[in-house]
Short mmCIF file of all heavy atoms in Angstrom, two decimals:
data_model
loop_
_atom_site.label_atom_id
_atom_site.label_comp_id
_atom_site.label_asym_id
_atom_site.label_seq_id
_atom_site.Cartn_x
_atom_site.Cartn_y
_atom_site.Cartn_z
N MET A 1 10.35 8.96 29.00
CA MET A 1 10.31 8.02 27.86
C MET A 1 8.96 8.13 27.15
O MET A 1 7.92 8.09 27.80
CB MET A 1 10.52 6.60 28.37
CG MET A 1 11.20 5.71 27.34
SD MET A 1 11.54 4.11 28.09
CE MET A 1 12.44 3.34 26.77
N THR A 2 9.02 8.26 25.87
CA THR A 2 7.78 8.38 25.10
C THR A 2 7.19 7.01 24.82
O THR A 2 7.92 6.08 24.50
CB THR A 2 8.04 9.06 23.74
OG1 THR A 2 9.17 9.88 23.86
CG2 THR A 2 6.84 9.87 23.32
N THR A 3 5.91 6.92 24.96
CA THR A 3 5.25 5.67 24.60
C THR A 3 4.98 5.69 23.10
O THR A 3 4.09 6.39 22.63
CB THR A 3 3.93 5.49 25.36
OG1 THR A 3 4.18 5.73 26.74
CG2 THR A 3 3.37 4.11 25.16
N ALA A 4 5.78 4.97 22.37
CA ALA A 4 5.64 4.95 20.91
C ALA A 4 4.51 4.01 20.51
O ALA A 4 4.10 3.14 21.28
CB ALA A 4 6.94 4.49 20.26
N LEU A 5 4.01 4.25 19.33
CA LEU A 5 3.02 3.34 18.79
C LEU A 5 3.66 1.99 18.54
O LEU A 5 4.86 1.91 18.25
CB LEU A 5 2.47 3.87 17.46
CG LEU A 5 1.61 5.14 17.54
CD1 LEU A 5 1.37 5.69 16.14
CD2 LEU A 5 0.28 4.82 18.21
N ALA A 6 2.89 0.96 18.65
CA ALA A 6 3.41 -0.37 18.38
C ALA A 6 3.88 -0.45 16.93
O ALA A 6 3.28 0.17 16.06
CB ALA A 6 2.32 -1.40 18.63
N PRO A 7 4.95 -1.16 16.71
CA PRO A 7 5.44 -1.29 15.34
C PRO A 7 4.36 -1.88 14.44
O PRO A 7 3.63 -2.79 14.86
CB PRO A 7 6.63 -2.25 15.45
CG PRO A 7 6.97 -2.32 16.88
CD PRO A 7 5.73 -1.96 17.65
N ARG A 8 4.28 -1.37 13.26
CA ARG A 8 3.28 -1.84 12.31
C ARG A 8 3.61 -3.24 11.82
O ARG A 8 4.76 -3.53 11.53
CB ARG A 8 3.20 -0.90 11.12
CG ARG A 8 2.71 0.46 11.49
CD ARG A 8 1.22 0.44 11.73
NE ARG A 8 0.84 1.57 12.57
CZ ARG A 8 -0.16 1.53 13.45
NH1 ARG A 8 -0.84 0.43 13.62
NH2 ARG A 8 -0.47 2.57 14.15
N THR A 9 2.61 -4.05 11.73
CA THR A 9 2.81 -5.36 11.13
C THR A 9 3.00 -5.17 9.62
O THR A 9 2.22 -4.48 9.00
CB THR A 9 1.58 -6.25 11.35
OG1 THR A 9 1.16 -6.10 12.69
CG2 THR A 9 1.88 -7.69 11.07
N PRO A 10 4.04 -5.77 9.06
CA PRO A 10 4.23 -5.63 7.61
C PRO A 10 3.04 -6.21 6.86
O PRO A 10 2.40 -7.16 7.33
CB PRO A 10 5.50 -6.44 7.34
CG PRO A 10 6.16 -6.62 8.65
CD PRO A 10 5.08 -6.57 9.68
N LEU A 11 2.78 -5.66 5.73
CA LEU A 11 1.71 -6.20 4.89
C LEU A 11 2.18 -7.52 4.29
O LEU A 11 3.36 -7.69 3.98
CB LEU A 11 1.38 -5.20 3.78
CG LEU A 11 0.73 -3.91 4.28
CD1 LEU A 11 0.80 -2.83 3.20
CD2 LEU A 11 -0.70 -4.15 4.70
N THR A 12 1.24 -8.42 4.13
CA THR A 12 1.58 -9.72 3.56
C THR A 12 0.71 -10.00 2.35
O THR A 12 -0.18 -9.22 2.02
CB THR A 12 1.33 -10.83 4.58
OG1 THR A 12 -0.08 -10.97 4.79
CG2 THR A 12 2.00 -10.54 5.90
N ALA A 13 0.97 -11.12 1.72
CA ALA A 13 0.19 -11.51 0.55
C ALA A 13 -1.27 -11.74 0.90
O ALA A 13 -2.14 -11.75 0.04
CB ALA A 13 0.79 -12.77 -0.07
N ALA A 14 -1.54 -11.91 2.20
CA ALA A 14 -2.92 -12.14 2.63
C ALA A 14 -3.70 -10.84 2.73
O ALA A 14 -4.92 -10.85 2.83
CB ALA A 14 -2.92 -12.84 3.97
N ASP A 15 -2.99 -9.71 2.70
CA ASP A 15 -3.66 -8.41 2.74
C ASP A 15 -4.05 -8.02 1.32
O ASP A 15 -3.23 -7.99 0.42
CB ASP A 15 -2.72 -7.35 3.33
CG ASP A 15 -2.46 -7.60 4.81
OD1 ASP A 15 -3.44 -7.74 5.55
OD2 ASP A 15 -1.30 -7.69 5.20
N ARG A 16 -5.33 -7.71 1.18
CA ARG A 16 -5.88 -7.48 -0.16
C ARG A 16 -6.46 -6.08 -0.30
O ARG A 16 -7.07 -5.56 0.62
CB ARG A 16 -6.98 -8.51 -0.44
CG ARG A 16 -6.47 -9.94 -0.51
CD ARG A 16 -5.71 -10.16 -1.80
NE ARG A 16 -4.73 -11.23 -1.67
CZ ARG A 16 -3.94 -11.61 -2.68
NH1 ARG A 16 -4.03 -11.03 -3.85
NH2 ARG A 16 -3.06 -12.56 -2.50
N CYS A 17 -6.32 -5.52 -1.47
CA CYS A 17 -6.88 -4.21 -1.79
C CYS A 17 -8.40 -4.23 -1.63
O CYS A 17 -9.07 -5.15 -2.10
CB CYS A 17 -6.51 -3.85 -3.23
SG CYS A 17 -7.25 -2.32 -3.80
N ASP A 18 -8.92 -3.21 -0.94
CA ASP A 18 -10.36 -3.14 -0.73
C ASP A 18 -11.12 -2.87 -2.02
O ASP A 18 -12.33 -3.09 -2.10
CB ASP A 18 -10.67 -2.02 0.28
CG ASP A 18 -10.25 -2.41 1.69
OD1 ASP A 18 -10.27 -3.62 2.00
OD2 ASP A 18 -9.89 -1.52 2.47
N ARG A 19 -10.45 -2.37 -3.01
CA ARG A 19 -11.10 -2.00 -4.26
C ARG A 19 -11.13 -3.14 -5.26
O ARG A 19 -12.13 -3.39 -5.91
CB ARG A 19 -10.38 -0.81 -4.90
CG ARG A 19 -10.41 0.43 -4.05
CD ARG A 19 -11.74 1.14 -4.18
NE ARG A 19 -11.86 2.16 -3.14
CZ ARG A 19 -12.67 3.21 -3.25
NH1 ARG A 19 -13.40 3.38 -4.32
NH2 ARG A 19 -12.74 4.06 -2.28
N CYS A 20 -9.99 -3.79 -5.45
CA CYS A 20 -9.91 -4.75 -6.55
C CYS A 20 -9.45 -6.14 -6.11
O CYS A 20 -9.50 -7.08 -6.90
CB CYS A 20 -8.98 -4.22 -7.64
SG CYS A 20 -7.25 -4.16 -7.14
N GLY A 21 -9.01 -6.29 -4.87
CA GLY A 21 -8.64 -7.62 -4.40
C GLY A 21 -7.20 -8.02 -4.71
O GLY A 21 -6.80 -9.12 -4.38
N ALA A 22 -6.45 -7.13 -5.33
CA ALA A 22 -5.04 -7.42 -5.58
C ALA A 22 -4.27 -7.32 -4.26
O ALA A 22 -4.80 -6.83 -3.26
CB ALA A 22 -4.47 -6.43 -6.59
N GLN A 23 -3.03 -7.78 -4.28
CA GLN A 23 -2.24 -7.71 -3.06
C GLN A 23 -2.05 -6.26 -2.62
O GLN A 23 -1.75 -5.39 -3.43
CB GLN A 23 -0.88 -8.37 -3.27
CG GLN A 23 -0.08 -8.40 -1.97
CD GLN A 23 1.21 -9.20 -2.10
OE1 GLN A 23 1.41 -9.91 -3.08
NE2 GLN A 23 2.07 -9.10 -1.13
N ALA A 24 -2.24 -6.01 -1.33
CA ALA A 24 -2.17 -4.65 -0.81
C ALA A 24 -0.75 -4.24 -0.48
O ALA A 24 0.03 -5.03 0.05
CB ALA A 24 -3.05 -4.54 0.43
N TYR A 25 -0.41 -3.00 -0.82
CA TYR A 25 0.91 -2.45 -0.49
C TYR A 25 0.80 -1.17 0.30
O TYR A 25 1.80 -0.53 0.61
CB TYR A 25 1.73 -2.21 -1.77
CG TYR A 25 2.24 -3.50 -2.36
CD1 TYR A 25 1.54 -4.18 -3.34
CD2 TYR A 25 3.44 -4.05 -1.91
CE1 TYR A 25 2.00 -5.37 -3.87
CE2 TYR A 25 3.91 -5.24 -2.43
CZ TYR A 25 3.19 -5.89 -3.41
OH TYR A 25 3.64 -7.07 -3.92
N LEU A 26 -0.44 -0.77 0.61
CA LEU A 26 -0.64 0.46 1.35
C LEU A 26 -1.73 0.24 2.38
O LEU A 26 -2.82 -0.24 2.05
CB LEU A 26 -1.04 1.59 0.40
CG LEU A 26 -0.95 2.99 1.00
CD1 LEU A 26 0.44 3.56 0.77
CD2 LEU A 26 -1.98 3.92 0.40
N ARG A 27 -1.43 0.56 3.63
CA ARG A 27 -2.46 0.47 4.67
C ARG A 27 -2.68 1.86 5.24
O ARG A 27 -1.74 2.53 5.66
CB ARG A 27 -2.03 -0.49 5.77
CG ARG A 27 -3.11 -0.56 6.88
CD ARG A 27 -2.87 -1.70 7.84
NE ARG A 27 -1.51 -1.67 8.35
CZ ARG A 27 -0.79 -2.75 8.62
NH1 ARG A 27 -1.28 -3.94 8.43
NH2 ARG A 27 0.44 -2.65 9.07
N VAL A 28 -3.94 2.26 5.24
CA VAL A 28 -4.30 3.60 5.68
C VAL A 28 -5.13 3.50 6.94
O VAL A 28 -6.15 2.82 6.95
CB VAL A 28 -5.10 4.32 4.58
CG1 VAL A 28 -5.53 5.69 5.06
CG2 VAL A 28 -4.27 4.43 3.32
N GLU A 29 -4.70 4.18 7.96
CA GLU A 29 -5.46 4.24 9.20
C GLU A 29 -6.27 5.53 9.21
O GLU A 29 -5.71 6.62 9.10
CB GLU A 29 -4.48 4.23 10.39
CG GLU A 29 -4.90 3.31 11.51
CD GLU A 29 -3.84 3.29 12.59
OE1 GLU A 29 -2.76 2.70 12.37
OE2 GLU A 29 -4.09 3.88 13.64
N LEU A 30 -7.57 5.39 9.33
CA LEU A 30 -8.44 6.55 9.24
C LEU A 30 -8.56 7.28 10.57
O LEU A 30 -8.55 6.65 11.63
CB LEU A 30 -9.83 6.11 8.77
CG LEU A 30 -9.86 5.43 7.41
CD1 LEU A 30 -11.25 4.90 7.12
CD2 LEU A 30 -9.39 6.37 6.31
N ALA A 31 -8.70 8.59 10.49
CA ALA A 31 -8.81 9.42 11.69
C ALA A 31 -10.04 9.04 12.52
O ALA A 31 -10.03 9.12 13.73
CB ALA A 31 -8.86 10.88 11.30
N ARG A 32 -11.09 8.63 11.83
CA ARG A 32 -12.33 8.28 12.56
C ARG A 32 -12.38 6.80 12.94
O ARG A 32 -13.41 6.31 13.43
CB ARG A 32 -13.53 8.64 11.72
CG ARG A 32 -13.52 7.96 10.36
CD ARG A 32 -14.72 8.33 9.53
NE ARG A 32 -14.42 8.13 8.11
CZ ARG A 32 -15.32 8.22 7.15
NH1 ARG A 32 -16.55 8.51 7.44
NH2 ARG A 32 -15.00 8.03 5.90
N GLY A 33 -11.28 6.09 12.72
CA GLY A 33 -11.23 4.68 13.09
C GLY A 33 -11.34 3.78 11.88
O GLY A 33 -11.93 4.14 10.87
N GLY A 34 -10.77 2.60 12.01
CA GLY A 34 -10.79 1.67 10.91
C GLY A 34 -9.60 1.85 10.00
O GLY A 34 -8.82 2.80 10.15
N GLU A 35 -9.43 0.96 9.09
CA GLU A 35 -8.32 1.07 8.16
C GLU A 35 -8.72 0.54 6.79
O GLU A 35 -9.67 -0.24 6.66
CB GLU A 35 -7.09 0.35 8.69
CG GLU A 35 -7.29 -1.12 8.95
CD GLU A 35 -6.00 -1.77 9.49
OE1 GLU A 35 -5.21 -1.10 10.15
OE2 GLU A 35 -5.82 -2.97 9.24
N LEU A 36 -7.98 0.99 5.79
CA LEU A 36 -8.23 0.58 4.42
C LEU A 36 -6.94 0.02 3.85
O LEU A 36 -5.85 0.42 4.21
CB LEU A 36 -8.67 1.78 3.58
CG LEU A 36 -9.97 2.47 3.98
CD1 LEU A 36 -10.15 3.75 3.19
CD2 LEU A 36 -11.16 1.54 3.74
N LEU A 37 -7.11 -0.92 2.93
CA LEU A 37 -5.95 -1.50 2.26
C LEU A 37 -6.06 -1.22 0.76
O LEU A 37 -7.15 -1.31 0.18
CB LEU A 37 -5.91 -3.01 2.49
CG LEU A 37 -5.72 -3.46 3.94
CD1 LEU A 37 -5.95 -4.96 4.06
CD2 LEU A 37 -4.33 -3.12 4.43
N PHE A 38 -4.93 -0.90 0.16
CA PHE A 38 -4.93 -0.63 -1.27
C PHE A 38 -3.74 -1.27 -1.95
O PHE A 38 -2.65 -1.35 -1.39
CB PHE A 38 -4.88 0.88 -1.53
CG PHE A 38 -6.14 1.59 -1.12
CD1 PHE A 38 -6.21 2.26 0.08
CD2 PHE A 38 -7.25 1.57 -1.94
CE1 PHE A 38 -7.36 2.91 0.47
CE2 PHE A 38 -8.41 2.22 -1.57
CZ PHE A 38 -8.47 2.89 -0.37
N CYS A 39 -3.95 -1.71 -3.18
CA CYS A 39 -2.84 -2.17 -4.00
C CYS A 39 -2.05 -0.96 -4.49
O CYS A 39 -2.46 0.19 -4.28
CB CYS A 39 -3.38 -2.97 -5.18
SG CYS A 39 -4.34 -1.98 -6.35
N ALA A 40 -0.94 -1.20 -5.16
CA ALA A 40 -0.10 -0.10 -5.61
C ALA A 40 -0.86 0.80 -6.58
O ALA A 40 -0.74 2.02 -6.54
CB ALA A 40 1.16 -0.65 -6.29
N HIS A 41 -1.66 0.20 -7.42
CA HIS A 41 -2.42 0.96 -8.40
C HIS A 41 -3.40 1.91 -7.72
O HIS A 41 -3.42 3.11 -8.02
CB HIS A 41 -3.18 -0.01 -9.31
CG HIS A 41 -4.15 0.66 -10.23
ND1 HIS A 41 -3.77 1.19 -11.44
CD2 HIS A 41 -5.47 0.91 -10.11
CE1 HIS A 41 -4.83 1.73 -12.03
NE2 HIS A 41 -5.88 1.57 -11.25
N HIS A 42 -4.19 1.41 -6.81
CA HIS A 42 -5.17 2.25 -6.15
C HIS A 42 -4.53 3.18 -5.11
O HIS A 42 -5.07 4.23 -4.81
CB HIS A 42 -6.26 1.37 -5.52
CG HIS A 42 -7.22 0.84 -6.54
ND1 HIS A 42 -7.31 -0.50 -6.87
CD2 HIS A 42 -8.10 1.49 -7.34
CE1 HIS A 42 -8.22 -0.64 -7.83
NE2 HIS A 42 -8.72 0.54 -8.13
N ALA A 43 -3.39 2.77 -4.57
CA ALA A 43 -2.66 3.66 -3.68
C ALA A 43 -2.27 4.93 -4.41
O ALA A 43 -2.36 6.03 -3.88
CB ALA A 43 -1.42 2.95 -3.15
N ARG A 44 -1.85 4.76 -5.65
CA ARG A 44 -1.45 5.89 -6.46
C ARG A 44 -2.67 6.72 -6.86
O ARG A 44 -2.66 7.94 -6.85
CB ARG A 44 -0.73 5.38 -7.72
CG ARG A 44 0.40 6.28 -8.17
CD ARG A 44 1.34 5.52 -9.10
NE ARG A 44 2.17 4.56 -8.39
CZ ARG A 44 2.59 3.39 -8.90
NH1 ARG A 44 2.23 3.04 -10.11
NH2 ARG A 44 3.33 2.59 -8.19
N GLU A 45 -3.73 6.00 -7.22
CA GLU A 45 -4.94 6.68 -7.70
C GLU A 45 -5.58 7.52 -6.61
O GLU A 45 -6.08 8.61 -6.88
CB GLU A 45 -5.91 5.61 -8.21
CG GLU A 45 -7.08 6.18 -8.99
CD GLU A 45 -7.92 5.07 -9.59
OE1 GLU A 45 -7.36 4.18 -10.25
OE2 GLU A 45 -9.14 5.09 -9.39
N HIS A 46 -5.60 7.02 -5.38
CA HIS A 46 -6.29 7.73 -4.30
C HIS A 46 -5.33 8.36 -3.30
O HIS A 46 -5.75 8.88 -2.28
CB HIS A 46 -7.20 6.74 -3.54
CG HIS A 46 -8.22 6.08 -4.41
ND1 HIS A 46 -9.26 6.76 -5.00
CD2 HIS A 46 -8.35 4.79 -4.80
CE1 HIS A 46 -9.99 5.90 -5.71
NE2 HIS A 46 -9.46 4.71 -5.61
N GLY A 47 -4.04 8.31 -3.63
CA GLY A 47 -3.02 8.73 -2.68
C GLY A 47 -3.25 10.09 -2.02
O GLY A 47 -3.18 10.20 -0.79
N ASP A 48 -3.53 11.12 -2.82
CA ASP A 48 -3.68 12.46 -2.26
C ASP A 48 -4.86 12.53 -1.31
O ASP A 48 -4.78 13.09 -0.23
CB ASP A 48 -3.86 13.48 -3.38
CG ASP A 48 -2.60 13.62 -4.21
OD1 ASP A 48 -1.53 13.21 -3.72
OD2 ASP A 48 -2.68 14.13 -5.33
N LYS A 49 -5.96 11.95 -1.73
CA LYS A 49 -7.18 11.95 -0.93
C LYS A 49 -6.97 11.19 0.39
O LYS A 49 -7.38 11.63 1.45
CB LYS A 49 -8.29 11.30 -1.75
CG LYS A 49 -9.63 11.32 -1.08
CD LYS A 49 -10.33 12.65 -1.28
CE LYS A 49 -11.69 12.65 -0.60
NZ LYS A 49 -12.27 14.00 -0.60
N LEU A 50 -6.29 10.06 0.27
CA LEU A 50 -6.07 9.22 1.45
C LEU A 50 -5.27 9.94 2.52
O LEU A 50 -5.55 9.83 3.70
CB LEU A 50 -5.35 7.93 1.04
CG LEU A 50 -6.18 6.97 0.21
CD1 LEU A 50 -5.34 5.79 -0.25
CD2 LEU A 50 -7.38 6.49 0.99
N ARG A 51 -4.27 10.67 2.08
CA ARG A 51 -3.43 11.38 3.05
C ARG A 51 -4.19 12.49 3.75
O ARG A 51 -3.78 12.95 4.81
CB ARG A 51 -2.16 11.88 2.36
CG ARG A 51 -1.14 10.76 2.20
CD ARG A 51 0.02 11.13 1.30
NE ARG A 51 1.04 10.09 1.29
CZ ARG A 51 0.96 8.96 0.58
NH1 ARG A 51 -0.08 8.71 -0.17
NH2 ARG A 51 1.92 8.05 0.65
N GLU A 52 -5.29 12.92 3.16
CA GLU A 52 -6.12 13.96 3.80
C GLU A 52 -6.94 13.37 4.96
O GLU A 52 -7.16 14.04 5.96
CB GLU A 52 -7.10 14.54 2.78
CG GLU A 52 -6.46 15.57 1.86
CD GLU A 52 -7.45 16.06 0.81
OE1 GLU A 52 -8.67 15.97 1.04
OE2 GLU A 52 -7.00 16.50 -0.25
N ILE A 53 -7.41 12.15 4.79
CA ILE A 53 -8.32 11.58 5.78
C ILE A 53 -7.62 10.62 6.73
O ILE A 53 -8.20 10.17 7.70
CB ILE A 53 -9.49 10.86 5.09
CG1 ILE A 53 -8.98 9.74 4.18
CG2 ILE A 53 -10.35 11.83 4.31
CD1 ILE A 53 -10.09 8.84 3.65
N ALA A 54 -6.35 10.31 6.44
CA ALA A 54 -5.65 9.31 7.24
C ALA A 54 -4.87 9.95 8.38
O ALA A 54 -4.39 11.08 8.26
CB ALA A 54 -4.71 8.53 6.35
N ILE A 55 -4.74 9.22 9.47
CA ILE A 55 -3.83 9.66 10.51
C ILE A 55 -2.49 8.95 10.36
O ILE A 55 -1.48 9.39 10.87
CB ILE A 55 -4.38 9.41 11.94
CG1 ILE A 55 -4.90 7.99 12.08
CG2 ILE A 55 -5.45 10.41 12.28
CD1 ILE A 55 -5.17 7.61 13.52
N SER A 56 -2.51 7.84 9.64
CA SER A 56 -1.30 7.07 9.47
C SER A 56 -1.36 6.32 8.15
O SER A 56 -2.37 5.72 7.81
CB SER A 56 -1.15 6.10 10.63
OG SER A 56 -0.21 5.10 10.33
N VAL A 57 -0.27 6.39 7.39
CA VAL A 57 -0.21 5.66 6.13
C VAL A 57 1.02 4.76 6.15
O VAL A 57 2.13 5.23 6.34
CB VAL A 57 -0.12 6.63 4.93
CG1 VAL A 57 0.03 5.85 3.63
CG2 VAL A 57 -1.34 7.53 4.88
N HIS A 58 0.78 3.49 6.00
CA HIS A 58 1.88 2.53 5.95
C HIS A 58 2.08 2.14 4.49
O HIS A 58 1.25 1.48 3.89
CB HIS A 58 1.51 1.31 6.80
CG HIS A 58 2.56 0.24 6.80
ND1 HIS A 58 3.71 0.34 7.55
CD2 HIS A 58 2.65 -0.93 6.13
CE1 HIS A 58 4.44 -0.76 7.34
NE2 HIS A 58 3.83 -1.53 6.49
N ASP A 59 3.18 2.60 3.92
CA ASP A 59 3.39 2.49 2.48
C ASP A 59 4.50 1.49 2.17
O ASP A 59 5.64 1.68 2.56
CB ASP A 59 3.76 3.86 1.95
CG ASP A 59 3.80 3.91 0.43
OD1 ASP A 59 3.87 2.83 -0.20
OD2 ASP A 59 3.76 5.01 -0.12
N GLU A 60 4.14 0.43 1.47
CA GLU A 60 5.15 -0.56 1.07
C GLU A 60 5.25 -0.66 -0.43
O GLU A 60 5.74 -1.64 -0.98
CB GLU A 60 4.81 -1.93 1.67
CG GLU A 60 4.98 -1.96 3.18
CD GLU A 60 4.85 -3.37 3.74
OE1 GLU A 60 4.86 -4.34 2.98
OE2 GLU A 60 4.75 -3.50 4.97
N THR A 61 4.77 0.36 -1.12
CA THR A 61 4.78 0.31 -2.59
C THR A 61 6.21 0.31 -3.15
O THR A 61 6.41 -0.11 -4.28
CB THR A 61 4.01 1.49 -3.19
OG1 THR A 61 4.50 2.71 -2.63
CG2 THR A 61 2.52 1.39 -2.91
N ASP A 62 7.17 0.76 -2.35
CA ASP A 62 8.55 0.76 -2.85
C ASP A 62 9.11 -0.65 -2.98
O ASP A 62 10.11 -0.88 -3.65
CB ASP A 62 9.46 1.64 -1.98
CG ASP A 62 9.46 1.20 -0.52
OD1 ASP A 62 8.56 0.43 -0.14
OD2 ASP A 62 10.35 1.62 0.23
N LYS A 63 8.46 -1.59 -2.31
CA LYS A 63 8.84 -2.99 -2.47
C LYS A 63 8.75 -3.43 -3.92
O LYS A 63 9.45 -4.32 -4.36
CB LYS A 63 7.88 -3.88 -1.67
CG LYS A 63 8.27 -4.13 -0.23
CD LYS A 63 7.31 -5.16 0.33
CE LYS A 63 7.60 -5.49 1.77
NZ LYS A 63 6.60 -6.45 2.28
N LEU A 64 7.80 -2.82 -4.61
CA LEU A 64 7.52 -3.23 -5.98
C LEU A 64 8.65 -2.87 -6.94
O LEU A 64 8.80 -3.49 -7.98
CB LEU A 64 6.22 -2.56 -6.45
CG LEU A 64 4.97 -3.09 -5.76
CD1 LEU A 64 3.79 -2.21 -6.13
CD2 LEU A 64 4.69 -4.51 -6.19
N SER A 65 9.44 -1.87 -6.61
CA SER A 65 10.49 -1.44 -7.54
C SER A 65 11.57 -2.51 -7.69
O SER A 65 12.37 -2.46 -8.61
CB SER A 65 11.09 -0.12 -7.07
OG SER A 65 11.55 -0.24 -5.74
N ASP A 66 11.60 -3.44 -6.75
CA ASP A 66 12.56 -4.54 -6.86
C ASP A 66 12.17 -5.53 -7.95
O ASP A 66 13.01 -6.25 -8.47
CB ASP A 66 12.65 -5.31 -5.54
CG ASP A 66 13.26 -4.46 -4.44
OD1 ASP A 66 13.92 -3.47 -4.79
OD2 ASP A 66 13.07 -4.79 -3.28
N THR A 67 10.91 -5.52 -8.26
CA THR A 67 10.41 -6.47 -9.25
C THR A 67 10.54 -5.89 -10.65
O THR A 67 10.07 -4.80 -10.90
CB THR A 67 8.93 -6.78 -8.98
OG1 THR A 67 8.77 -7.04 -7.60
CG2 THR A 67 8.46 -7.98 -9.79
N PRO A 68 11.18 -6.61 -11.54
CA PRO A 68 11.27 -6.11 -12.92
C PRO A 68 9.87 -5.94 -13.52
O PRO A 68 9.02 -6.81 -13.38
CB PRO A 68 12.04 -7.21 -13.67
CG PRO A 68 12.68 -8.03 -12.61
CD PRO A 68 11.81 -7.90 -11.39
N ALA A 69 9.64 -4.80 -14.15
CA ALA A 69 8.33 -4.53 -14.71
C ALA A 69 8.06 -5.42 -15.92
O ALA A 69 6.95 -5.89 -16.12
CB ALA A 69 8.24 -3.07 -15.12
N THR A 70 9.08 -5.64 -16.69
CA THR A 70 8.90 -6.49 -17.87
C THR A 70 10.01 -7.54 -17.91
O THR A 70 11.13 -7.29 -17.50
CB THR A 70 8.97 -5.67 -19.17
OG1 THR A 70 10.16 -4.92 -19.16
CG2 THR A 70 7.77 -4.75 -19.29
N ALA A 71 9.69 -8.67 -18.40
CA ALA A 71 10.71 -9.70 -18.57
C ALA A 71 11.56 -9.36 -19.78
O ALA A 71 11.05 -8.90 -20.80
CB ALA A 71 10.04 -11.05 -18.75
N SER A 72 12.84 -9.53 -19.63
CA SER A 72 13.71 -9.22 -20.77
C SER A 72 13.52 -10.27 -21.86
O SER A 72 13.40 -11.46 -21.59
CB SER A 72 15.16 -9.17 -20.33
OG SER A 72 15.53 -10.37 -19.70
N GLU A 73 13.46 -9.77 -23.05
CA GLU A 73 13.21 -10.70 -24.16
C GLU A 73 14.49 -10.96 -24.94
O GLU A 73 15.34 -10.09 -25.09
CB GLU A 73 12.16 -10.09 -25.10
CG GLU A 73 10.76 -10.24 -24.51
CD GLU A 73 9.74 -9.59 -25.43
OE1 GLU A 73 9.86 -9.76 -26.65
OE2 GLU A 73 8.85 -8.91 -24.92
N ASP A 74 14.58 -12.15 -25.43
CA ASP A 74 15.72 -12.50 -26.25
C ASP A 74 15.46 -12.04 -27.69
O ASP A 74 14.56 -12.54 -28.34
CB ASP A 74 15.92 -14.02 -26.21
CG ASP A 74 17.21 -14.45 -26.91
OD1 ASP A 74 17.93 -13.57 -27.38
OD2 ASP A 74 17.46 -15.66 -26.96
N GLU A 75 16.24 -11.06 -28.10
CA GLU A 75 15.98 -10.49 -29.42
C GLU A 75 16.90 -11.10 -30.47
O GLU A 75 17.16 -10.50 -31.51
CB GLU A 75 16.17 -8.98 -29.37
CG GLU A 75 15.04 -8.30 -28.62
CD GLU A 75 15.24 -6.80 -28.61
OE1 GLU A 75 15.00 -6.17 -29.64
OE2 GLU A 75 15.60 -6.25 -27.58
N HIS A 76 17.41 -12.22 -30.19
CA HIS A 76 18.33 -12.83 -31.13
C HIS A 76 17.69 -13.16 -32.46
O HIS A 76 16.60 -13.69 -32.46
CB HIS A 76 18.93 -14.11 -30.51
CG HIS A 76 20.08 -14.65 -31.29
ND1 HIS A 76 20.01 -15.79 -32.04
CD2 HIS A 76 21.31 -14.17 -31.46
CE1 HIS A 76 21.16 -16.00 -32.63
NE2 HIS A 76 21.97 -15.03 -32.29
ZN1 ZN B 101 -6.62 -2.14 -6.10
#
């Protein structure tokens, strides 16, 4: 039986982007220890770089696709 890593705790509204303080949707575990949190914007901006230095990336940015980007307007 393989000893699996403990299930990741889902990100919550209390998790904040290290760059701008917005709600975090990406948690990056660094190979040298420690972790970083990023909002969807910064996750996208630093995504390639992060995957180079990370041993584990917990990505919840797909949660955002459920949210309508713009409110529908009444064009009547
Ligand atoms: Zn950010």
Side-chain angles (χ1 to χ4, degrees):
M1 210 175 185
T2 334
T3 311
L5 291 169
R8 295 285 158 213
T9 316
L11 292 164
T12 69
D15 292 308
R16 295 286 154 180
C17 175
D18 288 330
R19 298 280 167 157
C20 69
Q23 185 173 348
Y25 286 93
L26 194 89
R27 179 168 52 216
V28 178
E29 224 176 287
L30 300 174
R32 57 180 157 172
E35 59 180 29
L36 297 171
L37 296 170
F38 291 99
C39 66
H41 172 85
H42 284 112
R44 215 161 286 147
E45 192 174 309
H46 302 293
D48 292 342
K49 184 82 180 171
L50 291 175
R51 280 169 174 79
E52 281 176 23
I53 59 171
I55 48 168
S56 164
V57 177
H58 179 78
D59 189 342
E60 291 189 12
T61 52
D62 58 344
K63 271 187 180 178
L64 291 171
S65 55
D66 293 341
T67 313
T70 53
S72 55
E73 283 178 42
D74 187 1
E75 288 181 75
H76 191 252

